[in-house]
Amino acid sequence: MRLRLSEERPTEPPTGYKIAHPVLSHDGTRAGFTGVSLGGALPYGVLADASCVYGLRHKAPHRRCDCGFHCVHDRTTAEALLCTAEHRTAALLEVSVLGRYIRFERGFRYARQRVRTATVGPCACGTVAAALADAGWGRPGWRALAPSCADCVHGRMSLSLADFARLAGDRLRVVAGAGSTIAGFEPPEGLGVPELTAEAALLQARLDWFQAQLARLGGHGPGGAPQG
C-alpha cells in the first residue's frame, strides 16, 4: 500500500527565502547564484530548473532523493543562516516556487524557481554595499562576488548592484541591506550629539581614574615613568 500525500493547487506560486552567493561568469557576460549546501557546485540563473545533483535521471524533486531547490517559508529563518562565518557574504534571496514541490514543516523542495529579489549585506567594513566585488574564490567558470563599498573595492573586479541585476536578467531586483556600525555597536535610541559627548566624557573620566590608581599602586606616573 503506497502512501498518497495530498496535492496542493495554489492560485499563485508560493514564496520562499534562501541564501546564496552572487557569481559572475568568467567572461563577464552572465550573472547568477551558487548555493551554500548540496547544490553549491552548480550555479544557477534567476529563472532555473533543478536537476539531481547525484546525476540520477529522475525528475527533481524526487521523494526518495534530496535533490531539487530548497528554501524556507520564513524570511527570518533564512536571515539567521547569514550569521555563520562562511555565509556572511551571501545574499538573501526571495524566490517564487514554481513547478512541482514538496512541502516540509520549514520550507519547500521544488523543481523550478524564479529569484525575484536579492538583498546583499553590508561591506566587511560595515558600510552599506555599493557594489559586488571579486570575493577571491569561485566555481569552475564562475567568480564569487561579495558586497563592497566604494572605498573597499581597491581595484578588484566589481559590478554595481544595477549592473549585476542587468546581467542576471528576468526582472531581478538587487537591493542593499542596512549597514552596521563599528563592531556591530548601535547607539541607544534617542541619543544625540550632546548626549554622546557626555557619555564619552564620562568614559574618559573613568579611564583617568583607573590610570591614577594604577600609578599610585605601581609607583609610576601616567606616562609609565618611575616617580622620583
Side-chain angles (χ1 to χ4, degrees), residues 13-40:
T15 295
Y17 301 91
K18 62 195 299 182
I19 65 172
H21 293 285
V23 292
L24 179 70
S25 63
H26 72 285
D27 58 3
T29 61
R30 293 175 294 158
F33 301 94
T34 187
V36 299
S37 57
L38 186 65

Side-chain angles (χ1 to χ4, degrees), residues 19 29 47 52 54 81 83 103 111-112 120 126 130 142 173 190 198 201 221:
I19 65 172
T29 61
L47 183 63
C52 181
Y54 302 110
L81 299 175
C83 293
R103 181 187 288 271
R112 198 165 192 248
V120 300
W142 296 87
R173 290 181 60 242

Side-chain angles (χ1 to χ4, degrees), residues 35-42 52-54 65-68 70 109:
V36 299
S37 57
L38 186 65
L42 302 173
C52 181
V53 295
Y54 302 110
C65 187
D66 52 5
C67 59
H70 294 72
R109 184 158 61 89

Side-chain angles (χ1 to χ4, degrees), residues 1 62 75 77 87 104 117 122 130 140 150-151 179 187 218:
M1 179 178 177
H62 195 277
R75 182 187 180 98
T77 302
H87 299 158
F104 295 93
T117 305
D151 291 336

Side-chain angles (χ1 to χ4, degrees), residues 49-221:
D49 294 290
S51 58
C52 181
V53 295
Y54 302 110
L56 302 177
R57 294 183 180 180
H58 57 238
K59 292 182 179 179
H62 195 277
R63 295 194 184 280
R64 296 184 180 180
C65 187
D66 52 5
C67 59
F69 289 122
H70 294 72
C71 71
V72 295
H73 299 303
D74 184 56
R75 182 187 180 98
T76 304
T77 302
E79 287 176 332
L81 299 175
L82 297 170
C83 293
T84 61
E86 63 270 28
H87 299 158
R88 288 288 176 94
T89 60
L92 175 69
L93 308 185
E94 179 184 290
V95 302
S96 291
V97 175
L98 307 174
R100 299 171 58 248
Y101 62 81
I102 300 172
R103 181 187 288 271
F104 295 93
E105 181 181 358
R106 299 183 64 186
F108 298 99
R109 184 158 61 89
Y110 51 102
R112 198 165 192 248
Q113 74 177 8
R114 177 187 293 277
V115 182
R116 300 201 304 253
T117 305
T119 303
V120 300
C123 176
C125 71
T127 306
V128 174
L132 289 166
D134 189 349
W137 64 276
R139 309 292 187 202
W142 296 87
R143 301 173 189 263
L145 305 177
S148 177
C149 68
D151 291 336
C152 293
V153 169
H154 293 315
R156 290 178 292 162
M157 184 282 303
S158 64
L159 289 172
S160 70
L161 304 188
D163 283 342
F164 182 89
R166 177 180 56 80
L167 289 177
D170 287 308
R171 304 187 304 277
L172 174 69
R173 290 181 60 242
V174 182
V175 298
S180 58
T181 55
I182 297 174
F185 172 75
E186 292 285 351
E189 236 179 274
L191 291 186
V193 173
E195 292 84 357
L196 290 174
T197 302
E199 288 287 335
L202 178 59
L203 289 173
Q204 184 62 52
R206 289 176 177 173
L207 178 60
D208 291 342
W209 182 85
F210 278 114
Q211 286 179 330
Q213 296 303 309
L214 288 172
R216 182 178 62 83
L217 293 173
H220 293 73

